[in-house]
Amino acid sequence: KNEVEQSPQNLTAQEGEFITINCSYSVGISALHWLQQHPGGGIVSLFMLSSGKKKHGRLIATINIQEKHSSLHITASHPRDSAVYICAVPYKYGNKLVFGAGTILRVKS
Amino acid sequence: KAGVTQTPRYLIKTRGQQVTLSCSPISGHRSVSWYQQTPGQGLQFLFEYFSETQRNKGNFPGRFSGRQFSNSRSEMNVSTLELGDSALYLCASSLETHYEQYFGPGTRLTVT
């Protein structure tokens, strides 16, 4: 079993839809990262959170430490949100990250 | 502040050769981590350097090595290249442990 599981693997949505991507992990963590990668592009850090909820524009990330689960929500989705979304958790000490397999999101206009 | 920079951006090498990739972190960041991204394995951690010391190492063969200089710039080296080493190599810098990591654009290595 992978230490970080994401679902769904692929997601196609219509512009304007509310989107949820889920991440479950099996290790104890201090924080969880949500990352975004556009096709052919580099990786951008969207959120790092250790409790509760964070919001940035149309993006909302939540985490439940007890249930070892986090969700990334996109409100009013737009074609420019099409990208791969990856959750990652730090492993033990230091800055080593363990990654989920990613969710490929396509938003159609 | 300038972001994380990586050089070169693209590289084509032949099996058996060696390659050195460079990463310049954000000014003031002391931690540099290296990751490999392939379609089959996804993102995998290679190693992390903090204040010139290797602090973590992933499950990669000894052909993969790295170092960090006193100005926090880091290099990674892959010797005796194999076809399977073709990948996007990303570095990320961070101010301290368990802080947000900022990724560079990556170096795309193709081994023929």
Side-chain angles (χ1 to χ4, degrees), chain B residues 39-83:
Chain B
Q41 298 296 319
L43 276 159
Q44 292 183 287
F45 171 81
L46 279 158
F47 27 66
E48 180 204 359
Y49 287 88
F50 187 88
S51 294
E52 301 180 67
T53 301
Q54 187 181 84
R55 188 159 67 170
N56 272 304
K57 192 176 190 307
N59 295 325
F60 280 82
R63 301 184 296 107
F64 291 81
S65 62
R67 59 178 175 169
Q68 186 179 34
F69 302 95
S70 58
N71 62 359
S72 292
R73 189 177 71 85
S74 178
E75 289 181 346
M76 67 163 281
N77 183 276
V78 188
S79 62
T80 320
L81 284 165
E82 301 177 359
L83 294 178

Side-chain angles (χ1 to χ4, degrees), chain B residues 13 18 22-23 27 31 35 37-38 48 53 63 65 71 74-75 83 91 101 107:
Chain B
K13 289 286 189 179
Q18 75 163 19
S22 180
C23 172
S27 177
S31 168
Y35 301 94
Q37 186 178 36
T38 60
E48 180 204 359
T53 301
R63 301 184 296 107
S65 62
N71 62 359
S74 178
E75 289 181 346
L83 294 178
C91 78
Q101 293 191 35
T107 294

Side-chain angles (χ1 to χ4, degrees), chain A residues 30-31 33 35 37 40-48 86 90-101, chain B residues 31 33 35 37 43-45 48 50 55-58 88 90 94 96-105 108:
Chain A
S30 57
H33 301 250
L35 310 170
Q37 186 174 32
I43 291 177
V44 173
S45 176
L46 296 175
F47 296 102
M48 187 180 85
I86 304 164
Y91 182 79
K92 293 183 180 178
Y93 52 86
N95 282 329
K96 174 181 176 178
L97 291 178
V98 178
F99 300 88
Chain B
S31 168
S33 300
Y35 301 94
Q37 186 178 36
L43 276 159
Q44 292 183 287
F45 171 81
E48 180 204 359
F50 187 88
R55 188 159 67 170
N56 272 304
K57 192 176 190 307
L88 180 66
L90 294 150
S94 178
E96 289 285 352
T97 304
H98 297 163
Y99 275 56
E100 192 165 2
Q101 293 191 35
Y102 295 85
F103 286 80
R108 185 162 297 280

Side-chain angles (χ1 to χ4, degrees), chain A residues 22-41:
Chain A
N22 296 299
C23 177
S24 296
Y25 52 91
S26 58
V27 296
I29 64 169
S30 57
L32 180 141
H33 301 250
W34 280 103
L35 310 170
Q36 180 195 56
Q37 186 174 32
H38 280 101

